[in-house]
Amino acid sequence: MPAETAIEVVRLYKQYKGSGEAAVNHISFSIPSGSIFGLLGPNGAGKTTTISMLCGLLAPTSGTATILGLKLKDNLKLIKQQIGVVPQEIALYPTLTAYENLRYIGNMYGLKGQNLKEEIMRHLEIVGLSAHADARVETFSGGMKRRINLVAGILHNPKILFLDEPTVGVDVQSRNLITEHLHLINKRGCTIIYTSHLMEEAEKLCTDIAVIDNGAIIAMGKPQQLIEDHHTNNLEQLFLKLTGKTLRD
Amino acid sequence: MLRLLATIRKELIILVRDKGGLAVMFLMPMMLITIMALIQDAPFKDYQEMKIPLALVNHDKGKLGKSIEAGLRESKIFAINSKDFSEQELKQKVKGGDYEIGILIPEQATQRLEDRVNDFVGKKLSAVGMGGAALSLNDKVDSAIDLKVVFAPTTKKSFKASIMGSLKQSASKLETQTLLAVFSQQLNRDTGAKKEQPPMADFIEFKELNAIETPKEALQLNSVQHNVPAWTIFGMFFIVISLAGSIIKERESGSYTRLLTMPGNYLTIMAGKISSYLLVCLIQCVLMLLVGIYLLPHLGLPRLIIGNNIPAIGIIAASAGLAATGYGIMVGSLFTSQQQSSTFGAVSVVILAALGGIWVPVYVMPEAIRMFAGFSPLYWALTAFHKIFLGDGDIKSILPYAAKLVAFFVATVGISFFYNKTHTR
């Protein structure tokens, strides 16, 4: 694997117990270091299963994944130290304050003391929440919660960041702030793997995309190149052309 | 270590801010201890100081009647009412529930007993060439003396047998004494020996000893000694609801998934939870014992006696706390919603508590239920506490119970670990 490749996936396959179909069907792709890689697909396409396998949450049925040059299967502990995850859910403790939530998460990554405190306050400042550091998360609006949820995934300055629908259900201002912050951390060298249903946002944010449907990758490349190749005007049209207009459950 | 301490701190902050949870963990057992100790105070006294109403119709007025009455009074379990009922009246009174037992001693019972003994001794002595004919020629000498005992329809068979045994013992004692007296009298008369009273005291005496030879030997299982440890253990196990709820909440919010993507493993996260809830259990235990020692006496109840073996109390409290947290983690791992876990957690703890003798002591339960008590971790903990409080139990004596509780903890955490491993990978 070339040094500039952050993630290399080879024939990754996952079939859940009791299911007759593959959730992810022998997919292969590589993600260059420093890119913002959009994994796009309709509901049930296999996006979350793919990300879950790359984060070590699910064991693949077969296939291999290499992250930062380390085999996922054999180096899970090392890999976990270098990745960050922002789940779709607000994965925070509502009765803890923003600061307490972030301190706990920082501690879990081995961060502590003054350094951790400064890092928390720096991130809170960037996402516009420094004044709310001591307020309980349960009192926050949806947008504020999303921003804290993002900070929780990047507090330890990961080399790779997995984002599962990070802007779902938030207002335009919060979404704008989140995408700006993602650009910022990407510029500092963090590779971002991102899933979303918001094609406009993905088109602006992603340097590379892969469209996944029924567990298989059906298109992959630079967004603009794919749009041109498929004679469409934007990513949404491309997406509908590739995945069809049939409703998904 | 940082991850463990961070998890403990996080859990404790969440617990402290959960006012409802705090009430369930501390206020509920405190109220249960107080209310149940007050409610059960009278029944406990009744059970131990129970007096069974007995109607004694003594038409004899002689030694036999007096001996039976003395025997009944000596047993201290009867409230004896001397009455002058006819046999029919006595039956009606017992049947009507005025008395549990009625005893009717017929007229001249003592005289008939003496006549019968005289007759027997006379015949025996004349057979060996000593003495003359029988001393009494009473016609009724061969017929038995009918002592009539009437039991209420609800009286248990075992209790009936016990009463009949006690009456027979009294009668038999008098028979023997009379026999000896007559024998002695006859022999003195025939041999001209110096008149000597036969020994009237029992040849064999039973002495009741207390199994506990310590200053606490007078201490009995009263309402406080039962209810304080019982509801303390119940309160400790009731953290199942809070702990399982916290695990499910963490899973539903995605926090658990996030934790799994971080360095460290499941056991570190669980060890943090276990340590926090174990600490809560120990605080609960100390507070509840303090309620028994300092609060309950102000409500007219006896003071809780906990003995001097604090390390033994600590071991059992910690073991019970571990068993409770293990159970909570298992419930939280196996169930998918808070509603399921809280319903199952509450109901299962109540059932385990009932079987384990928390509501009422195991020894008053029916035999069929009693055999299940041994399967309840609450019973193991309660028995160990009773051993320490009532029996001066040392660490060695409570270790088997502590070992069972720790084994329960290991089993439940093991099940949770296995379940999580197989259901997340």
Side-chain angles (χ1 to χ4, degrees), chain B residues 58-239:
Chain B
N58 184 2
H59 290 157
D60 175 44
K61 312 298 178 197
K63 278 193 286 183
L64 179 61
K66 283 176 185 166
S67 170
I68 287 172
E69 187 169 345
L72 292 169
R73 288 194 190 281
E74 203 179 320
S75 72
K76 293 178 184 171
I77 59 167
F78 298 109
I80 300 170
N81 294 275
S82 296
K83 297 288 176 185
D84 194 20
F85 297 143
S86 67
E87 185 178 324
Q88 202 53 37
E89 281 172 330
L90 182 64
K91 280 182 181 173
Q92 284 300 322
K93 291 286 180 188
V94 173
K95 189 182 168 188
D98 293 352
Y99 304 99
E100 180 81 20
I101 302 162
I103 296 175
L104 193 150
I105 305 168
E107 282 178 11
Q108 301 214 320
T110 306
Q111 185 59 51
R112 284 167 58 199
L113 172 69
E114 286 174 353
D115 288 352
R116 200 169 168 194
V117 169
N118 279 333
D119 183 61
F120 172 78
V121 172
K123 282 177 181 169
K124 288 290 170 195
L125 289 178
S126 65
V128 294
M130 293 176 73
L135 296 178
S136 168
L137 297 170
N138 193 321
D139 292 342
K140 292 178 182 175
V141 79
D142 285 333
S143 64
I145 303 155
D146 289 333
L147 290 178
K148 288 174 179 159
V149 186
V150 188
F151 288 105
T154 52
T155 308
K156 287 183 178 176
K157 278 184 184 173
S158 58
F159 191 65
K160 281 184 189 174
S162 162
I163 297 296
M164 292 306 286
S166 176
L167 290 172
K168 279 177 186 168
Q169 190 191 357
S170 292
S172 166
K173 186 176 168 183
L174 192 71
E175 262 180 12
T176 311
Q177 285 175 348
T178 310
L179 198 62
L180 281 170
V182 173
F183 250 120
S184 180
Q185 196 183 343
Q186 285 280 356
L187 285 171
N188 291 343
R189 195 181 67 185
D190 294 346
T191 60
K194 193 182 169 188
K195 194 172 181 180
E196 197 178 324
Q197 283 294 320
M200 297 306 283
D202 291 342
F203 287 110
I204 300 169
E205 277 189 20
F206 289 92
K207 285 187 178 172
E208 189 181 326
L209 299 177
N210 202 320
I212 310 155
E213 292 179 355
T214 70
K216 290 199 297 174
E217 64 188 289
L219 187 61
Q220 283 187 315
L221 186 65
N222 59 35
S223 174
V224 169
Q225 292 299 135
H226 171 74
N227 281 298
V228 174
W231 294 106
T232 299
I233 295 163
F234 182 80
M236 288 163 91
F237 271 82
F238 225 68
I239 64 154

Side-chain angles (χ1 to χ4, degrees), chain A residues 14 17 55-59 76 80-81 85 87 89-93 95-97 100 103-105 107-112 136 149 152-153, chain B residues 2-4 6-11 13-14 17 19 249-250 252-265 268-269 422 424-425:
Chain A
K14 178 71 185 179
K17 279 178 191 168
C55 296
L57 290 171
L58 285 174
L76 198 53
K80 279 183 175 180
Q81 193 71 46
V85 179
E89 303 90 359
I90 304 295
L92 299 165
Y93 299 95
T95 55
L96 297 187
T97 65
E100 286 164 347
R103 181 182 60 191
Y104 173 59
I105 288 161
N107 287 158
M108 295 306 279
Y109 280 107
L111 307 175
K112 59 181 176 179
R136 292 190 194 181
N149 204 32
Chain B
L2 176 64
R3 293 183 182 104
L4 177 66
T7 306
I8 293 171
R9 178 166 60 182
K10 180 257 296 179
E11 290 293 338
I13 295 173
I14 291 172
R17 288 181 187 162
K19 300 288 180 281
K249 246 188 266 176
E250 210 165 50
E252 283 176 342
S253 73
S255 300
Y256 179 70
T257 306
R258 192 202 283 278
L259 288 172
L260 291 179
T261 67
M262 293 177 182
N265 55 31
T268 312
I269 301 164
T422 52
T424 55
R425 301 277 294 161

